[in-house]
């Protein structure tokens, strides 16, 4: 996972990430990152970056190493 400093979120298998339909025109590429203690509502600047971000986050929270 990430270092536990300010501005970081610890990622592990107990986390989940979900694309959310956003009715907010200022944040059309929104997603939620759920940790055991908190749900973070986040947004990417574009649809393609959203896809990239979700893929990378899912790699970090996978319960087993990918080969």
């Amino acid at each position: 996972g990430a270092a536990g400093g300010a501005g970081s979120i610890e990622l592990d298998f107990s986390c989940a990430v979900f694309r959310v339909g956003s009715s907010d025109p200022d944040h059309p590429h929104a997603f939620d990152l759920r940790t055991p203690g908190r749900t973070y509502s986040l947004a990417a600047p574009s649809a393609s970056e959203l896809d990239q971000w979700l893929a990378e986050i899912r790699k970090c929270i996978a319960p087993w190493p990918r080969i």
Side-chain angles (χ1 to χ4, degrees):
S8 64
I9 302 169
E10 186 69 31
L11 298 177
D12 62 27
F13 68 91
S14 66
C15 300
V17 65
F18 301 94
R19 185 184 305 256
V20 295
S22 178
S23 59
D24 181 353
D26 292 331
H27 302 99
H29 312 293
F31 64 99
D32 284 349
L33 176 60
R34 296 183 187 156
T35 69
R38 180 173 174 189
T39 296
Y40 297 87
S41 294
L42 306 166
S46 69
S48 63
E49 284 191 67
L50 174 60
D51 290 339
Q52 291 174 342
W53 290 9
L54 294 178
E56 292 302 316
I57 292 169
R58 287 181 176 131
K59 287 180 193 176
C60 293
I61 63 178
W64 57 86
R66 297 185 188 271
I67 297 174

